């Protein structure tokens, strides 16, 4: 508790969330102007509501209690009030990084003050006072106060702020609508880039001030979710605009357009809007001190510490991309040992390679490998090293490799291939099914860095049992702890259950790969007990040689006790009394203001038991 108080006092956040005041139902003529301003203050603000699938909401309300889950939902829509930076101690010191960041912030404040002189010619702005913080909020930079994490730096942010959008009667501000993912990045400190802009007001020219709102997915007729906004549509500032009502309370700031309206929808990339006034003000660290720092959530840094890697050991990071925890592990080992990182995506393996090179780490070897196939089969004598259960799992692992969730349903690759194949046949010129499948594989990993750079990665057929001293399984999950989050309704109770089964299969692989006397650390970035406490219960009940181990540092709160049973007969067993304090659950509405996260650490006893 003392550490929690220290962290709270260090961050010292003061977050007052605006609430909407209902307008007068029948304003008198003398009050019409006041009502108009009231209506617009309700519209042009940031006060989102996170919508959940009804069954999922009921499940979480039973797990946490209605009031606690309501607080979690609100917290998820807002970013943490500080940025967390891991210093690469092999290249820099914490003190030198703090000094450099302060210099960068000072230069930025000076530039912003000069820009204000040009854009606010009618206002008297004294540059020296602005830079020194008397007319602008400061962002102090300081070491993390948690013992053992003195190489972690906090950069304080602020928000939510009330933005003056200069609305006038019958003259709404010019604005752009951005996609949800773009908005979530902007709330974390990013800029608005061209691909993220969905719609724009008419007659917008380069240099215009625009309000920025968010187009969030809405339910469709077939039960699917989509924004329903045709890219490039003209906004009139009227109720006929797309999602006019739905965008009430979804304005994230304002900025200056870097292109005209025509340029925004003609260009394929580049900066679209330079955000000058934000609801949440967090420093951006894009291309800042590359190689010296890495922007990482606090629970992720703690996860690497909990694994407690020692110099000379052989460590496996099973789902390693983009490499944050992998490089944190290598740094804790002083780059002395063997850190093996695997991921099933070619391009993500390249990202791990690139990050390790950027940070100057040589102990990391990355492979392209599906974690469901991490245990190597010994075919020399016609036998396999895996149990009969794993043989059954491996029969479906190839299908699971490329299966994906669409609208809450698991779609097999064969189904996706057939749909795309049928669509291609309707277009006219014949394209072979093999070529279509090849195109699908290319599309799965995004733009394709390997096609652009010719990068090659090492492939692996898996590892023999008992090959590693320690294994980190930061499992693919529903990611319902990430913040800020403006949309959550795509997850159904069925999809959450499938996530849990998928993670059990990966954990089965981890158990086989770690040696007796070794350690397994399991983590997720979700608030779903079915992927957290339920996995711990599965592990302890299935493998009697596993036991929960104490964690250091211990920052998160206790896990959830008991069980859950739904009306359809499905039930989950969670933790038993005495186990709750051996795990760490990070509550996004808690005092540490982190993402939602979960960590469990297992000691591995003699497997013959």
């Amino acid at each position: 508790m003392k550490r929690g108080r220290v962290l709270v006092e260090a961050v010292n956040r003061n977050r007052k969330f605006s609430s909407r005041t209902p307008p007068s139902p029948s304003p008198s003529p003398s009050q019409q102007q006041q009502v108009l301003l009231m209506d617009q203050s309700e519209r042009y603000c940031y006060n989102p509501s996170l919508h959940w699938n009804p069954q999922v909401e009921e499940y979480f309300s039973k797990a946490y209690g209605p009031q606690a889950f309501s607080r979690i939902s609100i917290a998820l829509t807002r970013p943490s009030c500080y940025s967390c930076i891991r210093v690469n101690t092999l290249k820099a010191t914490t003190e030198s990084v703090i000094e450099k960041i302060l210099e960068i912030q000072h230069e930025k404040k000076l530039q912003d003050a000069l820009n204000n002189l040009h854009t606010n010619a009618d206002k008297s702005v004294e540059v020296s006072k602005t830079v020194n913080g008397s007319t602008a909020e400061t962002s102090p930079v300081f070491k993390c106060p948690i013992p053992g994490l003195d190489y972690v730096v906090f950069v304080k942010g602020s928000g939510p702020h009330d933005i003056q959008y200069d609305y006038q009667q019958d003259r709404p501000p010019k604005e752009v609508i951005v996609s949800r993912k773009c908005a979530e990045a902007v709330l974390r400190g990013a800029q608005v880039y061209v691909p993220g802009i969905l719609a724009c007001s008419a007659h917008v020219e380069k240099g215009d001030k625009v309000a920025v709102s968010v187009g969030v997915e809405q339910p469709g007729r077939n039960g699917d979710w989509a924004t329903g906004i045709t890219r490039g549509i003209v906004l009139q500032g009227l109720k006929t605009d797309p999602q006019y009502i739905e965008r009430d309370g979804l304005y994230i700031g304002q900025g200056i357009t870097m292109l005209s309206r025509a340029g925004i929808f003609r260009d394929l990339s580049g900066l679209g809007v330079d955000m000058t006034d934000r609801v949440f003000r967090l420093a951006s660290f894009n291309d800042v001190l590359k190689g010296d720092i890495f922007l990482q959530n606090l629970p992720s840094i703690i996860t690497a510490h909990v694994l407690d890697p020692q110099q000379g050991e052989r460590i496996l990071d099973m789902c390693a991309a983009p490499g944050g925890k992998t490089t944190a592990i290598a740094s804790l080992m002083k780059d002395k040992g063997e850190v093996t990182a695997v991921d099933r995506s070619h391009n993500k393996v390249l990202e791990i390679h690139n990050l390790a090179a950027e940070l100057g780490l040589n102990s990391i070897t990355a492979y392209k490998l599906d974690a469901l196939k991490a245990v190597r089969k010994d075919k020399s004598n016609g036998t396999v090293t895996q149990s009969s259960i794993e043989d059954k799992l491996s029969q479906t692992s190839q299908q699971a490799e490329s299966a994906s969730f669409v609208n809450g349903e698991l779609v097999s690759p064969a189904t996706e291939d057939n749909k795309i194949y049928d669509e291609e046949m309707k277009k006219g010129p014949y394209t072979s099914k093999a070529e279509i499948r090849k195109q699908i594989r290319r599309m799965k990993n995004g733009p394709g860095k390997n096609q652009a750079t010719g990068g090659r990665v090492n492939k692996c057929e898996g590892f023999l049992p008992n090959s590693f001293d320690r294994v980190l399984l930061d499992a693919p999950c529903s990611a319902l702890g990430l913040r800020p989050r403006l949309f959550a309704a795509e997850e159904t109770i069925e999809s959450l259950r499938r996530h849990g089964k998928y993670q059990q299969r990966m954990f089965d692989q981890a158990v086989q790969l770690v040696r007796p006397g070794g350690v397994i650390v399991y983590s997720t970035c979700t608030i779903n007990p079915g992927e957290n406490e339920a996995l711990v219960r599965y592990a302890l009940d299935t493998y009697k040689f596993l036991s929960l181990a104490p964690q250091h540092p211990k920052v998160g709160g206790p896990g959830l006790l008991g069980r859950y049973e739904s009306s359809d007969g499905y039930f989950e067993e969670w933790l038993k009394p005495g186990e709750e304090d051996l795990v760490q659950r990070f509550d996004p509405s808690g005092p540490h203001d982190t993402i939602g996260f979960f960590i469990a650490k297992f000691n591995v006893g003699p497997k013959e038991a």
Side-chain angles (χ1 to χ4, degrees):
M1 291 301 295
K2 183 177 180 180
R3 292 177 184 171
R5 288 195 298 270
V6 171
L7 181 57
V8 173
E9 292 173 359
V11 175
N12 191 24
R13 59 194 177 110
N14 180 19
R15 313 182 70 182
K16 298 179 180 179
F17 301 116
S18 61
S19 59
R20 303 183 188 179
T21 304
S24 175
S26 55
S28 63
S30 62
Q31 297 176 314
Q32 288 182 358
Q33 182 65 23
Q34 181 180 356
V35 172
L36 175 63
L37 294 176
M38 183 186 301
D39 289 342
Q40 298 312 315
S41 67
E42 292 175 359
R43 174 171 178 77
Y44 295 99
C45 66
Y46 185 74
N47 190 24
S49 296
L50 192 58
H51 298 289
W52 300 85
N53 174 284
Q55 289 180 307
V56 172
E57 185 171 6
E58 179 185 4
Y59 168 63
F60 285 151
S61 294
K62 288 183 178 180
Y64 293 101
Q67 292 184 343
F69 179 59
S70 176
R71 290 194 298 269
I72 291 173
S73 294
I74 294 173
L76 287 175
T77 63
R78 291 157 168 82
S80 299
C81 67
Y82 60 95
S83 299
C84 186
I85 296 172
R86 174 166 59 85
V87 177
N88 181 12
T89 54
L90 299 180
K91 285 188 173 184
T93 65
T94 305
E95 291 74 16
S96 65
V97 165
I98 291 176
E99 184 178 350
K100 290 176 182 178
I101 292 176
L102 288 173
E103 289 177 359
I104 292 171
Q105 289 190 337
H106 181 83
E107 292 175 0
K108 186 178 185 303
K109 288 178 183 178
L110 178 60
Q111 185 60 50
D112 289 345
L114 293 174
N115 291 338
N116 286 335
L117 288 177
H118 293 294
T119 57
N120 299 286
D122 58 329
K123 297 180 181 179
S124 176
V125 179
E126 189 173 339
V127 175
S128 61
K129 288 185 178 181
T130 303
V131 173
N132 291 328
S134 59
T135 61
E137 292 193 36
T138 60
S139 296
V141 184
F142 50 91
K143 285 184 182 181
C144 172
I146 299 172
L149 299 183
D150 55 351
Y151 63 94
V152 177
V153 173
F154 290 153
V155 182
K156 185 183 175 184
S158 61
H161 297 279
D162 292 328
I163 309 298
Q164 300 300 320
Y165 292 99
D166 299 326
Y167 181 88
Q168 299 179 15
Q169 187 174 6
D170 300 325
R171 186 180 161 188
K174 294 181 179 181
E175 68 177 283
V176 298
I177 302 177
V178 300
S179 67
R180 171 183 55 89
K181 289 186 177 181
C182 175
E184 290 170 350
V186 170
L187 289 170
R188 294 192 298 268
Q191 296 284 13
V192 176
Y193 290 89
V194 166
I197 300 177
L198 300 178
C200 179
S201 298
H203 310 300
V204 167
E205 300 296 335
K206 180 179 178 180
D208 284 354
K209 181 183 290 187
V210 292
V212 180
S213 63
V214 190
V216 177
E217 291 86 341
Q218 302 296 325
R221 296 179 180 178
N222 300 324
D224 55 346
W225 294 85
T227 58
I229 298 176
T230 303
R231 190 169 190 272
I233 194 170
V234 177
L235 301 178
Q236 305 290 346
L238 304 174
K239 293 185 178 180
T240 53
D241 285 346
Q243 290 195 21
Y244 183 88
I245 300 298
E246 291 80 358
R247 287 186 288 113
D248 280 0
L250 281 176
Y251 283 77
I252 60 175
Q254 61 187 356
I256 304 299
T257 54
M258 306 305 291
L259 298 166
S260 66
R261 173 187 161 80
I264 288 174
F265 297 111
R266 179 182 62 243
D267 294 355
L268 300 178
S269 61
L271 183 62
V273 178
D274 180 15
M275 296 296 295
T276 56
D277 205 0
R278 301 168 180 267
V279 173
F280 290 92
R281 296 167 188 165
L282 294 168
S284 174
F285 292 95
N286 186 33
D287 293 329
V288 174
L289 303 180
K290 293 188 68 173
D292 290 347
I293 65 172
F294 183 76
L295 193 65
Q296 192 169 21
N297 289 304
L298 180 62
S300 297
I301 297 174
I302 291 174
T303 300
H305 260 272
V306 168
L307 186 65
D308 193 25
Q310 301 298 310
Q311 295 182 25
E313 287 186 331
R314 194 177 187 208
I315 313 293
L316 174 64
D317 189 350
M318 288 185 65
C319 303
K325 296 181 185 67
T326 307
T327 54
I329 292 169
S331 296
L332 289 174
M333 299 169 67
K334 305 298 182 184
D335 206 24
K336 296 177 181 179
E338 183 179 343
V339 181
T340 301
V342 301
D343 199 275
R344 50 182 276 188
S345 164
H346 182 112
N347 290 328
K348 290 182 178 180
V349 174
L350 281 178
E351 289 181 9
I352 299 171
H353 276 301
N354 294 337
L355 180 59
E358 179 183 307
L359 298 177
L361 298 169
N362 301 311
S363 60
I364 297 173
T365 304
Y367 296 99
K368 180 182 178 183
L369 175 67
D370 184 352
L372 290 174
K373 303 176 183 178
V375 180
R376 180 191 299 175
K377 292 183 178 181
D378 183 6
K379 300 180 181 179
S380 59
N381 56 4
T383 63
V384 296
T385 58
Q386 302 181 71
S387 66
S388 58
I389 295 177
E390 292 305 318
D391 287 336
K392 294 179 181 179
L393 293 176
S394 64
Q395 293 174 4
T396 57
S397 62
Q398 184 174 1
Q399 184 176 9
E401 178 182 9
S402 53
S404 59
F405 289 103
V406 178
N407 300 326
E409 298 296 329
L410 186 64
V411 180
S412 68
T415 303
E416 291 183 327
D417 289 355
N418 289 336
K419 287 182 179 180
I420 297 179
Y421 175 71
D422 293 339
E423 292 174 0
E424 289 294 322
M425 288 294 291
K426 295 176 183 179
K427 292 181 179 179
Y430 172 76
T431 304
S432 69
K433 196 167 185 177
E435 180 62 26
I436 294 173
R437 285 177 175 170
K438 188 175 181 181
Q439 294 174 3
I440 294 171
R441 287 195 297 271
R442 288 175 179 170
M443 293 170 60
K444 282 175 183 175
N445 291 331
K449 292 182 180 178
N450 56 312
Q451 285 87 11
T453 64
R456 289 177 157 241
V457 299
N458 298 321
K459 294 184 179 180
C460 179
E461 295 182 357
F463 308 97
L464 293 176
N466 305 325
S467 294
F468 297 95
D469 299 295
R470 300 171 195 266
V471 174
L472 170 61
L473 175 56
D474 185 50
C477 64
S478 56
L480 291 178
L482 296 183
R483 53 189 292 210
R485 170 179 291 275
L486 299 177
F487 180 65
E490 76 277 17
E491 288 289 354
T492 65
I493 200 71
E494 292 80 11
S495 68
L496 292 183
R497 293 173 185 175
R498 283 195 292 268
H499 284 305
K501 296 296 182 183
Y502 187 70
Q503 289 147 359
Q504 289 178 11
R505 295 170 58 190
M506 286 194 172
F507 193 86
D508 292 335
Q509 299 277 306
V511 171
Q512 296 178 74
L513 291 171
V514 68
R515 66 168 175 80
V519 169
I520 299 174
V521 169
Y522 173 83
S523 63
T524 70
C525 58
T526 184
I527 62 172
N528 177 22
E531 301 173 68
N532 297 332
E533 285 85 355
L535 186 282
V536 174
R537 180 83 281 122
Y538 166 81
L540 296 177
D541 291 348
T542 305
Y543 303 102
K544 301 302 182 182
F545 52 83
L546 293 181
S547 60
L548 284 174
Q551 301 184 29
H552 304 285
K554 185 70 161 59
V555 179
L560 299 179
L561 295 171
R563 70 196 304 268
Y564 166 81
E565 185 170 359
S566 63
S567 57
D568 61 2
Y570 176 86
F571 69 91
E572 291 174 353
E573 295 285 349
W574 296 339
L575 301 181
K576 296 179 180 179
E579 297 173 340
E580 69 273 22
D581 290 327
L582 292 174
V583 303
Q584 295 197 67
R585 170 178 281 280
F586 290 83
D587 183 346
S589 65
H592 305 304
D593 194 25
T594 67
I595 62 173
F597 208 85
F598 181 86
I599 309 173
K601 181 178 182 179
F602 301 89
N603 282 334
V604 182
K607 293 187 176 181
E608 290 75 13

